[in-house]
Structure formats: C-alpha cells, structure tokens
C-alpha cells in the first residue's frame, strides 16, 4: 500500500484585533472621510468577514470611537512620550515637533479629514481632547523655556494653530506653504521671540 502524502496545510490566518480594525478605519477615514468607515468595505480590506467585526464591536459607532481613541494614542500620547524620552532640551523638542508635524501634515490627510468631520459628536469630542492635550504640552514646553504660564499658553496655542493652518493649506493648496528648514526656522524664531 502506498503511503498518502499529508494534505497541504492551510495557512493560518492571524486573528484580527480591535486595533487592526481601528487602524483600518483610520486608513479609510484618511482616504475618503468619515463616511468611508463602513463594516463591509473594511472587512474586505482586512480580508475577513463581518463576523470578525462583530466579535470586537457592537456597531459602527463603537468602531469610530475605538479608531478615534487609537488616533489619540498614536498621534498625540506616543509622540509626547517619545519627545520626553529622547530630547531633554525643550527648545529642541519644539523644533522636532514642528518639523515632524509639518512633514506629516503634508503627507497624511487624516487630521484634515477629522477636522472636516468635526460636526460628528465623537469626532468633535476627540478633537477637543487632542487639541487640549497638544496645546497643554506645547504650553508646558514654553514654561520650561521661562515664559510665564499665561504667555506660555498663548504661545502653545499659536504654535498649534500654526500647525493646523499649515496642515489645512498643505492639503488644500499643495505647495502653498513652504516646509523647508528656513521657513521652519522663521516660525521657531517667531514663537520663541521675547
């Protein structure tokens, strides 16, 4: 009797996590806006079924909330933690944040898409939390540079609104806002000028 070969093994699929779904939702949102966060297209994008979605989330609103929490964590908290760990000088941290944020703004439409969806209650709440956290962190850096708290807060807000304006213009009118080192040095000088 001839020995039968073992049947081919099916490749085992990695089990998707809630973060996988949240990341896919953020990618869809960045590409086509909040309306693109829909279960069936995301399942197809992830190569899975709607059942996987319902394993992790009760409904689309729960996915949107998870995606926004993921965005807050990745684009704010982790960046602040990395800055705190890597750079002791607050002026250097400001420069690094400004360079990184302006480079990201030109390449990644996610934040502009979120601003455009600010009429959605979950998005509005996330934008409010992120704005407060980012402005607060920038104000903290200005305080470390010797500015009194009210002035540090004003400068933190100025730095953040400069970034948001830069992001909006970079997406709406590509090439309208310079991103080179000379421009960013001018912005830093204006922010730090006493």
């Amino acid at each position: 009797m001839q020995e039968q070969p073992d049947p081919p093994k099916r490749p085992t699929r990695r089990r998707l996590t809630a973060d996988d779904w949240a990341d896919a939702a953020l990618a869809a949102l960045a590409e086509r806006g909040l309306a693109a966060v829909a279960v069936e297209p995301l399942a197809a994008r992830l190569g899975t079924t709607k059942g996987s979605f319902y394993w992790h989330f009760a409904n689309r609103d729960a996915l949107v909330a998870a995606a926004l929490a993921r965005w807050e964590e990745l684009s704010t908290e982790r960046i602040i933690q990395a800055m705190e760990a890597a750079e002791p000088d607050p002026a250097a941290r400001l420069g690094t944040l400004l360079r990184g944020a302006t480079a990201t703004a030109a390449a990644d439409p996610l934040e502009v898409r979120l601003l455009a969806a600010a009429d959605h209650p979950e998005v509005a709440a996330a934008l409010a939390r992120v704005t407060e956290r980012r402005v607060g962190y920038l104000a903290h850096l200005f305080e470390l540079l010797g500015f009194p708290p009210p002035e540090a807060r004003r400068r933190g807000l100025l730095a953040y609104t400069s970034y948001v304006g830069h992001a909006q213009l970079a997406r709406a009118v590509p090439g309208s806002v310079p991103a080179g080192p000379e421009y960013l040095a001018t912005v830093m000088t204006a922010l730090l000028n006493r």
Side-chain angles (χ1 to χ4, degrees):
M1 178 176 243
Q2 188 173 1
E3 193 173 309
Q4 296 291 323
D6 289 336
K9 291 185 179 182
R10 279 191 201 179
T12 56
R13 271 198 289 183
R14 181 178 73 85
R15 182 169 283 182
L16 294 175
T17 66
D19 282 348
D20 293 326
W21 279 95
D23 290 341
L26 288 173
L29 200 157
E31 291 165 7
R32 295 181 315 281
L34 189 59
V37 180
V39 178
E40 287 187 33
L42 290 176
R45 178 183 208 136
L46 290 167
T48 192
T49 64
K50 291 191 310 184
S52 171
F53 170 81
Y54 288 109
W55 178 262
H56 297 290
F57 302 102
N59 54 39
R60 178 186 180 267
D61 289 339
L63 172 61
V64 169
L68 292 169
R70 182 94 168 132
W71 169 68
E72 288 181 62
E73 174 63 26
L74 296 175
S75 71
T76 301
E77 294 307 323
R78 286 194 187 172
I79 290 171
I80 290 172
Q81 290 168 3
M83 288 290 100
E84 291 291 313
E87 181 55 63
D89 178 43
R93 271 189 253 160
L94 275 170
T96 300
L97 284 170
L98 182 62
R99 284 187 302 278
T102 55
T104 301
D108 183 4
L110 179 59
E111 295 207 15
V112 172
R113 296 277 193 191
L114 287 169
L115 289 167
D119 59 340
H120 185 281
E122 289 280 343
V123 174
L127 286 169
R129 287 188 305 271
V130 165
T131 297
E132 181 53 39
R133 177 69 170 120
R134 290 175 177 181
V135 171
Y137 181 68
L138 292 167
H140 167 71
L141 293 178
F142 282 109
E143 282 186 49
L144 291 175
L145 291 167
F147 291 95
E151 182 61 20
R153 178 78 183 178
R154 278 190 292 276
R155 287 174 189 258
L157 184 58
L158 178 60
Y160 191 64
T161 56
S162 295
Y163 156 71
V164 171
H166 186 98
Q168 290 277 15
L169 277 176
R171 296 301 307 166
V173 187
S176 65
V177 182
E182 301 84 19
Y183 168 74
L184 296 178
T186 303
V187 172
M188 279 297 293
T189 299
L191 290 171
L192 296 173
N193 190 18
R194 294 185 189 264

